[in-house]
Amino acid sequence: MNRKSLSILAFAIALALALSACAPTEAPSPSVQPTAEPTPTAAPTDEVVAEPTSAPEVAILTDMVGRQVELPAQVETVVSLASSNTEILYAIGAGDMLIGRDSYSDYPEEVADVAVVGDFNGPNIEAIAEAQPDVVLASSLLEDVINQLTDLGITVFCTEASDYEGIYTSIELIGTICGKTEEASTLCTQMRETIDAVHAAAAAPTAGGAGPACRLRRAENDHGHGAYWRSGGGHCGDHPLHDRPSP
């Protein structure tokens, strides 16, 4: 091969190399990254899930004749079949809970607006049942009535005081039933202070040299007809005399 041919070949090779160097390079293809599948969310619903309900609370108290009585946790309505219980209700601020009373319950004056459901000796069972009270406050002397009301599913609580301590117990129990424990405690304190004052007065000698021998009271209601009454033995009205300190 002559010198001219070698020159032409060398020029061709150089040209080829130059052209290959100027050729565009192929861009790398992008890699596809795997994507996480979206977590499906629950669609909103209008359905209301009912909350589990617990049984209504009750309270169990022992009444003054030893009966275990199951009472609603919150008493709202009461029928009283004894005037003593009626007066206690009003004295502790629970008179607005009274929806029925015996005819002997005539104090305080506001009680006149409350329906009468018979008298102490003959309560009207049908009227009491129709009133549907949360509890009936009764005397232990009404055993037949208590049994009849209990058989009808009506809650009956007995309070019967035979002495002054029994009166305090009645007040405290009725206060507990009606949610008036503080008012009942205050009333008992006031009564004890009054009784202490009576004892102090009774202990002082009189002009004749002796204290009072008996206690008389004048009945001003329709049942007493203005007569004078003396409290006999075994009655709470007799205790202020026998419990007083000796002069």
Side-chain angles (χ1 to χ4, degrees):
M1 180 177 295
N2 56 29
R3 186 179 295 276
K4 182 178 181 180
S5 299
L6 288 174
S7 298
I8 293 172
L9 179 60
F11 177 77
I13 292 172
L15 180 61
L17 291 173
L19 290 174
S20 62
C22 295
T25 58
E26 184 179 356
S29 58
S31 60
V32 179
Q33 297 294 329
T35 57
E37 291 292 330
T39 303
T41 58
T45 176
D46 294 334
E47 182 180 357
V48 178
V49 179
E51 294 289 338
T53 57
S54 58
E57 295 182 357
V58 297
I60 298 178
L61 291 179
T62 301
D63 68 8
M64 295 184 69
V65 293
R67 298 164 59 248
Q68 294 286 319
V69 182
E70 188 175 287
L71 298 153
Q74 185 174 357
V75 172
E76 297 180 351
T77 56
V78 178
V79 165
S80 173
L81 300 181
S83 58
S84 56
N85 294 334
T86 301
E87 293 185 25
I88 290 173
L89 286 170
Y90 280 93
I92 63 174
D96 58 342
M97 302 173 67
L98 191 65
I99 61 172
R101 63 180 174 95
D102 69 298
S103 61
Y104 290 178
S105 293
D106 54 8
Y107 183 85
E109 294 181 358
E110 302 95 297
V111 78
D113 297 329
V114 179
V116 174
V117 291
D119 58 33
F120 181 84
N121 297 316
N124 188 326
I125 302 298
E126 294 181 359
I128 297 171
E130 185 176 354
Q132 297 182 336
D134 290 331
V135 62
V136 174
L137 299 178
S139 165
S140 61
L141 300 177
L142 303 173
E143 184 175 356
D144 291 341
V145 173
I146 293 170
N147 292 334
Q148 292 180 60
L149 292 174
T150 302
D151 290 342
L152 291 174
I154 298 173
T155 301
V156 182
F157 196 89
C158 295
T159 59
E160 185 67 27
S162 59
D163 55 24
Y164 264 78
E165 287 304 317
I167 294 176
Y168 301 135
T169 301
S170 294
I171 294 171
E172 291 169 350
L173 285 171
I174 293 175
T176 299
I177 291 171
C178 298
K180 299 286 187 178
T181 53
E182 291 186 8
E183 292 85 348
S185 177
T186 299
L187 177 61
C188 289
T189 298
Q190 293 172 346
M191 290 179 60
R192 292 181 190 277
E193 292 174 350
T194 300
I195 294 301
D196 288 343
V198 171
H199 284 166
T206 62
C214 67
R215 175 176 181 266
L216 296 177
R217 66 184 178 90
R218 180 177 176 82
E220 299 294 347
N221 56 33
D222 294 338
H223 310 294
H225 304 293
Y228 284 96
W229 292 68
R230 180 190 182 278
S231 298
H235 188 273
C236 58
D238 195 46
H239 282 263
L241 295 175
H242 296 286
D243 291 346
R244 76 184 193 276
S246 300

